[in-house]
Amino acid sequence: MAGLIRREDVDQVRERARIDEIVSAHVTLKPAGVGALVGLCPFHDERSPSFNVRPSVGRYHCFGCGEGGDVIEFIMKMDGLSFTEAIEYLAGKTGVQLRYEEGGSARPREEPGKRQRLLEANRVAAEFYAEQLMGPGAAAARAFLAERSFDRSDAERFGVGFAPKGWDALQRHLQGRGFTQAELVASGLMSQGQRGIYDRFRGRVMWPIRDVTGAVIGFGARRLFEDDQGPKYLNTPETSLYKKSHVLYGIDLAKREIAKGKRVVVVEGYTDVMAAHLSGVTTAVATCGTAFGADHAKVVRRLLGDTTAGGGLQLKSGASLGGEIIFTFDGDAAGQKAAVRAYGEDQRFFAQTFVAVEPSGMDPCDLRMVGGPEAVRALVDGRVPLFQFVVRSKLDEFDLNTAEGRVNALREAAPIIAGIRDTALRPEYARLLAGWIGTDERTVAREISRAASTPSLREPPPTTAGGDGGGPAGSDERPTTGGVPQLPAPDPRDPVARDERLALVAVLQYPQHVPSSFDVLGEDAFVVPAWRVVHSAIRAAGGAAAGREMSAAQWVAAVLEQAPETVAGVVTQLSVASLPEDRESAIAAFVAGVVRRVADLGLTRRVADARSRLQRLDPADTEAYQAAFAELLTIEAERRTLREGSSA
């Protein structure tokens, strides 16, 4: 197995990927002082911009919500990618050829560039299918879309296309573009037969399936013609790109709205995703040929930022704190079974889970045709808690007019209530269950208590903030400050704290202008605890002298490597903060001045301490007194030299 990405390749990606260009694809940035950019934060709602980016150090920080990091962390948080996925995505944009160490499991062994070749084959195929949709042989496909109220612009928005009925139309097109037969089979676009390879998809409506970065990794296809003996829906087979248990159709279109609104709507089909988005429900996604499972839940949790225990609190207004996952299902028996399966994944979320089922059984696509976009939005807004829907569906299986039916219904429903992770909700659902069945509450409470004491096969909710955890550079995940308590920020009104902060900002951003006196400061030079820890990390990284020998981004990264996690976020914040001086020509003098001021304060405190110590000594103890006096003179000389240097 090929494993971890080589550290030097990770560093090269970080250096080449310009954070201002990557962030600008998501946020409108404007200049804000020397070397700084600012915009509205993509991670929380705000009216005044507090999202700062400093391209020279390659980092960002939001002074509103506290999110911060480098370009890799931005892509991870913005697009819901793992560390390895983010590196591969940025490598593709910057032209870095990644190499993998032996002994890991990040990616299957494949020759260099093969992944990019397969992605390119899928991209070209998507363009080919889209072009064919307007051709003379695609009348049935256009009719299929028109019957569902989708026009040409809708098809273009979602990249819908048509696979010609022939056996080798796509094959000839791709081979004409230089792709080999081995690549076409590996991509899942071709099938292998006794006489050679042939197009896997023929005579079907085609939907490109994209990952969170927008890259086409596979296709979903719907049968159109009577003579097609294949299944109604046919998807790309499992490939190195396409893993159906990890894929959500529409995630590339919905990801930003999911992250922003903390809501995801899971529908059942491609046309349902289209109908939902066209109706204003822009957080809709769908699984591809499989039920919603544990791996899908991980993807959703990353996009929701579903990392806080106690999330999912529903307010009286109907809104939910901590996010919402809304499942829509057909109202038939199959839809009810799907809801029960989804209920099995509920414990994987902190967010509140709901279900939205149209009473007459229509899916979002049908509902849009009959009632328009407003009906689709009303369906989603009329959601009910998933627990409630599952319990009521279970009760419908029994004849509650008989004693046997009521007893069996209670035995089936009690474990569901007992499994509610919020124990405060259980008594309320017990009361509701008693009313639904038509029995007394004490009997229901006893049965729920018995069910709760029975070992459960269901998994507990996640217990670690940040989703899938962290790891060192080159591993599948990167450690972040999420979930790690940060040292408290000092009072900004404290002039000493303010000066110390400005000095650290200056050293992190402009080490070339920092006077040499900074690097001789002792470990007690900074008073504020958080600033003292950052100063220690700077010293451990080699001081400002080391920073002068590196690029700005390398220097901040070196300090972060030495900083404990409790101040990692603080270092990032300081590395992007703006200085009061906004004239580039005056930056050097400002930096030197603020650093000397902090050094002077530190020396002044040392002078005071030395004088106090001298006063407490007995002059009769000549040796100790002279040593203390000599120390005082030395410190005063250091301060005098510093002040004379600053006035020169």
Side-chain angles (χ1 to χ4, degrees), residues 335-354:
Q336 292 184 358
K337 289 182 179 179
V340 173
R341 287 196 301 269
Y343 159 76
E345 299 300 328
D346 171 80
Q347 296 292 69
R348 299 183 185 276
F349 297 105
F350 290 124
Q352 182 82 12
T353 51
F354 297 87

Side-chain angles (χ1 to χ4, degrees), residues 343 346-347 387 391 410-427 429-430 433 444-456 458:
Y343 159 76
D346 171 80
Q347 296 292 69
F387 283 115
V391 171
L410 177 57
R411 288 174 178 170
E412 289 291 320
I416 300 174
I417 304 299
I420 297 177
R421 64 176 179 270
D422 188 346
T423 55
L425 285 176
R426 293 179 190 172
Y429 272 101
L433 180 59
V444 172
R446 282 197 302 270
E447 188 64 25
I448 292 174
S449 178
R450 186 190 66 79
S453 64
T454 302
S456 173
R458 296 175 63 193

Side-chain angles (χ1 to χ4, degrees), residues 288-595:
C288 301
T290 185
F292 189 91
D295 291 320
H296 296 122
K298 289 181 181 179
V299 175
V300 169
R301 287 192 67 239
R302 277 207 297 258
L303 290 174
L304 283 175
D306 181 42
T307 60
T308 305
L313 174 65
Q314 190 172 16
L315 305 178
K316 186 176 181 180
S317 64
S320 296
L321 298 178
E324 296 183 357
I325 299 94
I326 304 172
F327 296 94
T328 68
F329 302 106
D330 294 339
D332 56 15
Q336 292 184 358
K337 289 182 179 179
V340 173
R341 287 196 301 269
Y343 159 76
E345 299 300 328
D346 171 80
Q347 296 292 69
R348 299 183 185 276
F349 297 105
F350 290 124
Q352 182 82 12
T353 51
F354 297 87
V355 64
V357 175
E358 206 281 325
S360 63
M362 287 188 288
D363 58 31
C365 183
D366 293 333
L367 193 58
R368 174 173 172 265
M369 289 189 289
V370 173
E374 298 82 6
V376 178
R377 294 195 295 270
L379 169 68
V380 174
D381 292 338
R383 71 215 183 283
V384 298
L386 182 57
F387 283 115
Q388 177 179 327
F389 179 83
V390 171
V391 171
R392 293 304 297 265
S393 297
K394 185 63 66 176
L395 297 184
D396 289 342
E397 299 176 8
F398 301 93
D399 183 0
L400 301 182
N401 293 317
T402 67
E404 293 81 4
R406 291 190 293 273
V407 170
N408 289 328
L410 177 57
R411 288 174 178 170
E412 289 291 320
I416 300 174
I417 304 299
I420 297 177
R421 64 176 179 270
D422 188 346
T423 55
L425 285 176
R426 293 179 190 172
E428 178 64 15
Y429 272 101
R431 185 186 66 78
L432 290 172
L433 180 59
W436 293 335
I437 294 177
T439 188
D440 66 278
E441 293 184 30
R442 286 180 299 178
T443 300
V444 172
R446 282 197 302 270
E447 188 64 25
I448 292 174
S449 178
R450 186 190 66 79
S453 64
T454 302
S456 173
L457 297 179
R458 296 175 63 193
E459 293 184 23
T463 56
T464 57
D468 296 330
S475 66
D476 192 52
E477 299 289 341
R478 177 179 172 83
T480 69
T481 57
V484 178
Q486 300 287 291
L487 286 180
D491 187 342
R493 295 169 296 183
D494 182 345
V496 174
R498 186 170 60 248
D499 282 348
E500 290 186 353
R501 177 181 181 276
L502 284 175
L504 292 175
V505 169
V507 173
L508 286 170
Q509 295 180 18
Y510 300 100
Q512 68 273 25
H513 299 318
V514 173
S516 58
S517 57
F518 178 84
D519 285 346
V520 299
L521 295 178
E523 59 183 16
D524 59 349
F526 285 75
V527 175
V528 177
W531 303 156
R532 186 180 300 140
V533 177
V534 174
H535 177 228
S536 296
I538 290 173
R539 294 175 69 204
R548 298 185 196 107
E549 304 302 319
M550 307 179 190
S551 70
Q554 289 172 334
W555 167 231
V556 173
V559 175
L560 277 167
E561 285 188 3
Q562 300 297 330
E565 289 190 35
T566 51
V567 296
V570 175
V571 173
T572 292
Q573 175 185 333
L574 295 173
S575 71
V576 303
S578 297
L579 291 172
E581 178 57 68
D582 58 2
R583 296 170 299 164
E584 191 163 4
S585 60
I587 285 291
F590 179 86
V591 168
V594 73
V595 171

Side-chain angles (χ1 to χ4, degrees), residues 1-4 100-106 109:
M1 299 291 287
L4 308 181
Y100 296 85
E101 303 285 2
E102 294 298 324
S105 58
R109 181 189 295 273

Side-chain angles (χ1 to χ4, degrees), residues 208-243:
I209 299 171
R210 299 182 172 91
D211 63 14
V212 290
T213 70
V216 180
I217 57 175
F219 293 88
R222 206 272 191 188
R223 185 179 61 202
L224 289 173
F225 302 102
E226 294 284 339
D227 58 353
D228 188 339
Q229 300 302 308
K232 182 177 180 180
Y233 282 95
L234 180 66
N235 286 359
T236 293
E238 294 280 304
T239 70
S240 61
L241 299 179
Y242 181 85
K243 308 292 183 184

